[in-house]
Amino acid sequence: MRLFPHDPYCRADLAHTLRITGQRERAVEVYREAQQDFARNPAIVIGLADTLIDLERLGEADSVMDWADQLDMDDKSAAKRDQIRRRLQQAMNGQPIQIKQTRRPKEGPAGDLDALTDITGEDLSHDPALGRAILLRRSGGADLERAKSEIETLPAGTTQLIETGLWHAQAQGWRAAADWFDQTWERYGGDGVLRVHRNRAHARAGDTVDWSMERERYPYLATVIETEIDGEPPARIRHINPADDDLTEEQRQDAWFLGLVEKNDPILRDTAEEDLLSSRHLLD
């Protein structure tokens, strides 16, 4: 939601996930917040009404459905609206409210990804742990210990080193991250992404950084390197139109990166740089 604050689907999906995992009051809060920003989005309005019915808050649901009746909808959304209207009317007539059985989030690896290795050329079996580690690390606070546990399950290599360094940055500050990278980076000295992360940590710790070698040797990382040097995204990516159909994958990533960094949010810039570096790691 932080990466895509103007995307109503992120909000609607979060609220729906809260609802089907039994957190209906919190789901209503998220739906209400989303409704303020996306007042004419059918999925948000209809989802809010349906959840209010679950909670037997029928008067509120009726008001929301009155608003839903004023929205322009495609056939699918209109059919869903009519279904929820019938459900509400049945509840108001005294019929018992039938609630779908809630589901608890599954813990542990998201299936066996080994079968995809031949297709992707990459070992994906540790990706669920990596995804959890990143989300927990960025959440911070009490989630940091859980993030550390996930990182420790990753195979030895640059990905684990990078995630550990970023964990130190979140838990102890950029000086601790810079020290970590100094102690470990030479084990994989030819890895450009690792070198860029090391330099980023030193720059954020207040050190002077010489980017000349990385800039020359790793052109596929130039977007992040130039942003670090100049404090803003390079001019060469500003002409990219993300709506063009013939963009390369790298151009699409650059356009996404530009949109985030131009929000002038330091935390968002860090997140964008980390994600772009991760994607370039895969492309490489």
mmCIF file with all atom_site columns, all heavy atoms in Angstrom, residues 26 36 54 77 79 91-92 94 103 113 124 129 137 191 194 219 263:
data_model
loop_
_atom_site.group_PDB
_atom_site.id
_atom_site.type_symbol
_atom_site.label_atom_id
_atom_site.label_alt_id
_atom_site.label_comp_id
_atom_site.label_asym_id
_atom_site.label_entity_id
_atom_site.label_seq_id
_atom_site.pdbx_PDB_ins_code
_atom_site.Cartn_x
_atom_site.Cartn_y
_atom_site.Cartn_z
_atom_site.occupancy
_atom_site.B_iso_or_equiv
_atom_site.pdbx_formal_charge
_atom_site.auth_seq_id
_atom_site.auth_comp_id
_atom_site.auth_asym_id
_atom_site.auth_atom_id
_atom_site.pdbx_PDB_model_num
ATOM 1   N N   . ARG A 1 26  ? -11.793 -4.692  11.857  1.00 0.00 ? 26  ARG A N   1
ATOM 2   C CA  . ARG A 1 26  ? -10.641 -4.040  11.224  1.00 0.00 ? 26  ARG A CA  1
ATOM 3   C C   . ARG A 1 26  ? -10.876 -3.902  9.719   1.00 0.00 ? 26  ARG A C   1
ATOM 4   O O   . ARG A 1 26  ? -10.483 -2.893  9.118   1.00 0.00 ? 26  ARG A O   1
ATOM 5   C CB  . ARG A 1 26  ? -9.379  -4.866  11.482  1.00 0.00 ? 26  ARG A CB  1
ATOM 6   C CG  . ARG A 1 26  ? -8.123  -4.312  10.837  1.00 0.00 ? 26  ARG A CG  1
ATOM 7   C CD  . ARG A 1 26  ? -7.764  -2.939  11.344  1.00 0.00 ? 26  ARG A CD  1
ATOM 8   N NE  . ARG A 1 26  ? -6.587  -2.421  10.671  1.00 0.00 ? 26  ARG A NE  1
ATOM 9   C CZ  . ARG A 1 26  ? -6.487  -1.196  10.175  1.00 0.00 ? 26  ARG A CZ  1
ATOM 10  N NH1 . ARG A 1 26  ? -7.499  -0.351  10.277  1.00 0.00 ? 26  ARG A NH1 1
ATOM 11  N NH2 . ARG A 1 26  ? -5.378  -0.799  9.583   1.00 0.00 ? 26  ARG A NH2 1
ATOM 12  N N   . GLN A 1 36  ? -12.961 6.849   1.597   1.00 0.00 ? 36  GLN A N   1
ATOM 13  C CA  . GLN A 1 36  ? -12.685 8.277   1.577   1.00 0.00 ? 36  GLN A CA  1
ATOM 14  C C   . GLN A 1 36  ? -11.857 8.661   0.350   1.00 0.00 ? 36  GLN A C   1
ATOM 15  O O   . GLN A 1 36  ? -12.039 9.749   -0.211  1.00 0.00 ? 36  GLN A O   1
ATOM 16  C CB  . GLN A 1 36  ? -11.945 8.683   2.852   1.00 0.00 ? 36  GLN A CB  1
ATOM 17  C CG  . GLN A 1 36  ? -12.776 8.519   4.114   1.00 0.00 ? 36  GLN A CG  1
ATOM 18  C CD  . GLN A 1 36  ? -11.984 8.876   5.365   1.00 0.00 ? 36  GLN A CD  1
ATOM 19  O OE1 . GLN A 1 36  ? -10.925 9.482   5.280   1.00 0.00 ? 36  GLN A OE1 1
ATOM 20  N NE2 . GLN A 1 36  ? -12.496 8.502   6.519   1.00 0.00 ? 36  GLN A NE2 1
ATOM 21  N N   . ASP A 1 54  ? -22.304 -8.791  7.723   1.00 0.00 ? 54  ASP A N   1
ATOM 22  C CA  . ASP A 1 54  ? -21.721 -9.837  8.570   1.00 0.00 ? 54  ASP A CA  1
ATOM 23  C C   . ASP A 1 54  ? -21.798 -9.441  10.041  1.00 0.00 ? 54  ASP A C   1
ATOM 24  O O   . ASP A 1 54  ? -22.034 -10.274 10.925  1.00 0.00 ? 54  ASP A O   1
ATOM 25  C CB  . ASP A 1 54  ? -20.255 -10.061 8.203   1.00 0.00 ? 54  ASP A CB  1
ATOM 26  C CG  . ASP A 1 54  ? -20.074 -10.789 6.875   1.00 0.00 ? 54  ASP A CG  1
ATOM 27  O OD1 . ASP A 1 54  ? -21.067 -11.331 6.352   1.00 0.00 ? 54  ASP A OD1 1
ATOM 28  O OD2 . ASP A 1 54  ? -18.934 -10.819 6.379   1.00 0.00 ? 54  ASP A OD2 1
ATOM 29  N N   . SER A 1 77  ? -20.052 -5.996  -11.543 1.00 0.00 ? 77  SER A N   1
ATOM 30  C CA  . SER A 1 77  ? -20.207 -5.275  -10.285 1.00 0.00 ? 77  SER A CA  1
ATOM 31  C C   . SER A 1 77  ? -21.683 -5.057  -9.960  1.00 0.00 ? 77  SER A C   1
ATOM 32  O O   . SER A 1 77  ? -22.100 -5.142  -8.793  1.00 0.00 ? 77  SER A O   1
ATOM 33  C CB  . SER A 1 77  ? -19.486 -3.926  -10.362 1.00 0.00 ? 77  SER A CB  1
ATOM 34  O OG  . SER A 1 77  ? -18.094 -4.107  -10.490 1.00 0.00 ? 77  SER A OG  1
ATOM 35  N N   . ALA A 1 79  ? -24.154 -6.998  -10.773 1.00 0.00 ? 79  ALA A N   1
ATOM 36  C CA  . ALA A 1 79  ? -24.703 -8.270  -10.299 1.00 0.00 ? 79  ALA A CA  1
ATOM 37  C C   . ALA A 1 79  ? -24.330 -8.507  -8.840  1.00 0.00 ? 79  ALA A C   1
ATOM 38  O O   . ALA A 1 79  ? -25.154 -8.979  -8.042  1.00 0.00 ? 79  ALA A O   1
ATOM 39  C CB  . ALA A 1 79  ? -24.200 -9.413  -11.175 1.00 0.00 ? 79  ALA A CB  1
ATOM 40  N N   . ALA A 1 91  ? -31.756 -10.041 5.626   1.00 0.00 ? 91  ALA A N   1
ATOM 41  C CA  . ALA A 1 91  ? -31.360 -9.814  7.016   1.00 0.00 ? 91  ALA A CA  1
ATOM 42  C C   . ALA A 1 91  ? -32.319 -8.849  7.704   1.00 0.00 ? 91  ALA A C   1
ATOM 43  O O   . ALA A 1 91  ? -32.705 -9.046  8.873   1.00 0.00 ? 91  ALA A O   1
ATOM 44  C CB  . ALA A 1 91  ? -29.932 -9.292  7.070   1.00 0.00 ? 91  ALA A CB  1
ATOM 45  N N   . MET A 1 92  ? -32.731 -7.808  6.978   1.00 0.00 ? 92  MET A N   1
ATOM 46  C CA  . MET A 1 92  ? -33.655 -6.831  7.566   1.00 0.00 ? 92  MET A CA  1
ATOM 47  C C   . MET A 1 92  ? -35.040 -7.429  7.774   1.00 0.00 ? 92  MET A C   1
ATOM 48  O O   . MET A 1 92  ? -35.800 -6.952  8.633   1.00 0.00 ? 92  MET A O   1
ATOM 49  C CB  . MET A 1 92  ? -33.721 -5.599  6.667   1.00 0.00 ? 92  MET A CB  1
ATOM 50  C CG  . MET A 1 92  ? -32.393 -4.854  6.569   1.00 0.00 ? 92  MET A CG  1
ATOM 51  S SD  . MET A 1 92  ? -32.415 -3.425  5.462   1.00 0.00 ? 92  MET A SD  1
ATOM 52  C CE  . MET A 1 92  ? -33.294 -2.226  6.468   1.00 0.00 ? 92  MET A CE  1
ATOM 53  N N   . GLY A 1 94  ? -35.430 -10.335 8.964   1.00 0.00 ? 94  GLY A N   1
ATOM 54  C CA  . GLY A 1 94  ? -35.325 -11.233 10.103  1.00 0.00 ? 94  GLY A CA  1
ATOM 55  C C   . GLY A 1 94  ? -34.719 -12.579 9.820   1.00 0.00 ? 94  GLY A C   1
ATOM 56  O O   . GLY A 1 94  ? -34.614 -13.418 10.731  1.00 0.00 ? 94  GLY A O   1
ATOM 57  N N   . ARG A 1 103 ? -11.103 -18.117 7.346   1.00 0.00 ? 103 ARG A N   1
ATOM 58  C CA  . ARG A 1 103 ? -9.887  -18.885 7.090   1.00 0.00 ? 103 ARG A CA  1
ATOM 59  C C   . ARG A 1 103 ? -8.731  -18.212 7.809   1.00 0.00 ? 103 ARG A C   1
ATOM 60  O O   . ARG A 1 103 ? -8.605  -16.988 7.797   1.00 0.00 ? 103 ARG A O   1
ATOM 61  C CB  . ARG A 1 103 ? -9.600  -18.950 5.589   1.00 0.00 ? 103 ARG A CB  1
ATOM 62  C CG  . ARG A 1 103 ? -10.607 -19.765 4.822   1.00 0.00 ? 103 ARG A CG  1
ATOM 63  C CD  . ARG A 1 103 ? -10.281 -19.748 3.340   1.00 0.00 ? 103 ARG A CD  1
ATOM 64  N NE  . ARG A 1 103 ? -10.673 -18.475 2.735   1.00 0.00 ? 103 ARG A NE  1
ATOM 65  C CZ  . ARG A 1 103 ? -10.326 -18.106 1.514   1.00 0.00 ? 103 ARG A CZ  1
ATOM 66  N NH1 . ARG A 1 103 ? -9.546  -18.880 0.781   1.00 0.00 ? 103 ARG A NH1 1
ATOM 67  N NH2 . ARG A 1 103 ? -10.728 -16.961 1.019   1.00 0.00 ? 103 ARG A NH2 1
ATOM 68  N N   . LEU A 1 113 ? 8.256   -25.080 -4.422  1.00 0.00 ? 113 LEU A N   1
ATOM 69  C CA  . LEU A 1 113 ? 8.565   -24.340 -5.643  1.00 0.00 ? 113 LEU A CA  1
ATOM 70  C C   . LEU A 1 113 ? 9.695   -24.988 -6.442  1.00 0.00 ? 113 LEU A C   1
ATOM 71  O O   . LEU A 1 113 ? 10.109  -24.439 -7.468  1.00 0.00 ? 113 LEU A O   1
ATOM 72  C CB  . LEU A 1 113 ? 8.939   -22.897 -5.296  1.00 0.00 ? 113 LEU A CB  1
ATOM 73  C CG  . LEU A 1 113 ? 7.876   -22.103 -4.525  1.00 0.00 ? 113 LEU A CG  1
ATOM 74  C CD1 . LEU A 1 113 ? 8.364   -20.687 -4.277  1.00 0.00 ? 113 LEU A CD1 1
ATOM 75  C CD2 . LEU A 1 113 ? 6.556   -22.079 -5.274  1.00 0.00 ? 113 LEU A CD2 1
ATOM 76  N N   . LEU A 1 124 ? 13.788  -21.276 -6.607  1.00 0.00 ? 124 LEU A N   1
ATOM 77  C CA  . LEU A 1 124 ? 12.774  -20.421 -5.987  1.00 0.00 ? 124 LEU A CA  1
ATOM 78  C C   . LEU A 1 124 ? 12.323  -20.937 -4.624  1.00 0.00 ? 124 LEU A C   1
ATOM 79  O O   . LEU A 1 124 ? 11.464  -20.313 -4.004  1.00 0.00 ? 124 LEU A O   1
ATOM 80  C CB  . LEU A 1 124 ? 11.547  -20.322 -6.900  1.00 0.00 ? 124 LEU A CB  1
ATOM 81  C CG  . LEU A 1 124 ? 11.791  -19.828 -8.333  1.00 0.00 ? 124 LEU A CG  1
ATOM 82  C CD1 . LEU A 1 124 ? 10.482  -19.832 -9.102  1.00 0.00 ? 124 LEU A CD1 1
ATOM 83  C CD2 . LEU A 1 124 ? 12.400  -18.443 -8.327  1.00 0.00 ? 124 LEU A CD2 1
ATOM 84  N N   . ALA A 1 129 ? 10.386  -17.429 2.140   1.00 0.00 ? 129 ALA A N   1
ATOM 85  C CA  . ALA A 1 129 ? 11.089  -16.934 3.329   1.00 0.00 ? 129 ALA A CA  1
ATOM 86  C C   . ALA A 1 129 ? 11.682  -15.551 3.072   1.00 0.00 ? 129 ALA A C   1
ATOM 87  O O   . ALA A 1 129 ? 11.653  -14.675 3.943   1.00 0.00 ? 129 ALA A O   1
ATOM 88  C CB  . ALA A 1 129 ? 12.187  -17.914 3.746   1.00 0.00 ? 129 ALA A CB  1
ATOM 89  N N   . ARG A 1 137 ? 10.981  -7.111  7.980   1.00 0.00 ? 137 ARG A N   1
ATOM 90  C CA  . ARG A 1 137 ? 12.042  -6.123  8.217   1.00 0.00 ? 137 ARG A CA  1
ATOM 91  C C   . ARG A 1 137 ? 11.518  -4.714  8.017   1.00 0.00 ? 137 ARG A C   1
ATOM 92  O O   . ARG A 1 137 ? 11.785  -3.820  8.826   1.00 0.00 ? 137 ARG A O   1
ATOM 93  C CB  . ARG A 1 137 ? 13.219  -6.404  7.278   1.00 0.00 ? 137 ARG A CB  1
ATOM 94  C CG  . ARG A 1 137 ? 14.241  -5.271  7.227   1.00 0.00 ? 137 ARG A CG  1
ATOM 95  C CD  . ARG A 1 137 ? 15.457  -5.640  6.421   1.00 0.00 ? 137 ARG A CD  1
ATOM 96  N NE  . ARG A 1 137 ? 15.185  -5.993  5.040   1.00 0.00 ? 137 ARG A NE  1
ATOM 97  C CZ  . ARG A 1 137 ? 14.941  -5.096  4.069   1.00 0.00 ? 137 ARG A CZ  1
ATOM 98  N NH1 . ARG A 1 137 ? 14.885  -3.812  4.360   1.00 0.00 ? 137 ARG A NH1 1
ATOM 99  N NH2 . ARG A 1 137 ? 14.746  -5.503  2.821   1.00 0.00 ? 137 ARG A NH2 1
ATOM 100 N N   . ASP A 1 191 ? 30.003  -9.256  -7.152  1.00 0.00 ? 191 ASP A N   1
ATOM 101 C CA  . ASP A 1 191 ? 28.555  -9.073  -7.235  1.00 0.00 ? 191 ASP A CA  1
ATOM 102 C C   . ASP A 1 191 ? 28.228  -7.584  -7.163  1.00 0.00 ? 191 ASP A C   1
ATOM 103 O O   . ASP A 1 191 ? 28.391  -6.947  -6.125  1.00 0.00 ? 191 ASP A O   1
ATOM 104 C CB  . ASP A 1 191 ? 27.863  -9.830  -6.099  1.00 0.00 ? 191 ASP A CB  1
ATOM 105 C CG  . ASP A 1 191 ? 26.356  -9.845  -6.261  1.00 0.00 ? 191 ASP A CG  1
ATOM 106 O OD1 . ASP A 1 191 ? 25.745  -8.769  -6.178  1.00 0.00 ? 191 ASP A OD1 1
ATOM 107 O OD2 . ASP A 1 191 ? 25.784  -10.928 -6.468  1.00 0.00 ? 191 ASP A OD2 1
ATOM 108 N N   . LEU A 1 194 ? 25.587  -6.376  -4.470  1.00 0.00 ? 194 LEU A N   1
ATOM 109 C CA  . LEU A 1 194 ? 26.157  -6.341  -3.127  1.00 0.00 ? 194 LEU A CA  1
ATOM 110 C C   . LEU A 1 194 ? 27.046  -5.109  -2.954  1.00 0.00 ? 194 LEU A C   1
ATOM 111 O O   . LEU A 1 194 ? 26.991  -4.430  -1.919  1.00 0.00 ? 194 LEU A O   1
ATOM 112 C CB  . LEU A 1 194 ? 26.953  -7.618  -2.867  1.00 0.00 ? 194 LEU A CB  1
ATOM 113 C CG  . LEU A 1 194 ? 27.662  -7.730  -1.518  1.00 0.00 ? 194 LEU A CG  1
ATOM 114 C CD1 . LEU A 1 194 ? 26.682  -7.625  -0.367  1.00 0.00 ? 194 LEU A CD1 1
ATOM 115 C CD2 . LEU A 1 194 ? 28.450  -9.035  -1.442  1.00 0.00 ? 194 LEU A CD2 1
ATOM 116 N N   . PRO A 1 219 ? 26.694  -1.315  -15.601 1.00 0.00 ? 219 PRO A N   1
ATOM 117 C CA  . PRO A 1 219 ? 25.743  -0.397  -16.247 1.00 0.00 ? 219 PRO A CA  1
ATOM 118 C C   . PRO A 1 219 ? 24.290  -0.769  -16.006 1.00 0.00 ? 219 PRO A C   1
ATOM 119 O O   . PRO A 1 219 ? 23.416  0.102   -16.044 1.00 0.00 ? 219 PRO A O   1
ATOM 120 C CB  . PRO A 1 219 ? 26.119  -0.491  -17.732 1.00 0.00 ? 219 PRO A CB  1
ATOM 121 C CG  . PRO A 1 219 ? 26.846  -1.786  -17.876 1.00 0.00 ? 219 PRO A CG  1
ATOM 122 C CD  . PRO A 1 219 ? 27.574  -1.992  -16.589 1.00 0.00 ? 219 PRO A CD  1
ATOM 123 N N   . LYS A 1 263 ? 8.304   11.136  -5.435  1.00 0.00 ? 263 LYS A N   1
ATOM 124 C CA  . LYS A 1 263 ? 7.426   11.515  -4.325  1.00 0.00 ? 263 LYS A CA  1
ATOM 125 C C   . LYS A 1 263 ? 8.199   12.189  -3.193  1.00 0.00 ? 263 LYS A C   1
ATOM 126 O O   . LYS A 1 263 ? 7.594   12.655  -2.216  1.00 0.00 ? 263 LYS A O   1
ATOM 127 C CB  . LYS A 1 263 ? 6.688   10.282  -3.792  1.00 0.00 ? 263 LYS A CB  1
ATOM 128 C CG  . LYS A 1 263 ? 5.767   9.626   -4.822  1.00 0.00 ? 263 LYS A CG  1
ATOM 129 C CD  . LYS A 1 263 ? 5.052   8.429   -4.238  1.00 0.00 ? 263 LYS A CD  1
ATOM 130 C CE  . LYS A 1 263 ? 4.264   7.696   -5.302  1.00 0.00 ? 263 LYS A CE  1
ATOM 131 N NZ  . LYS A 1 263 ? 3.229   8.524   -5.915  1.00 0.00 ? 263 LYS A NZ  1
#
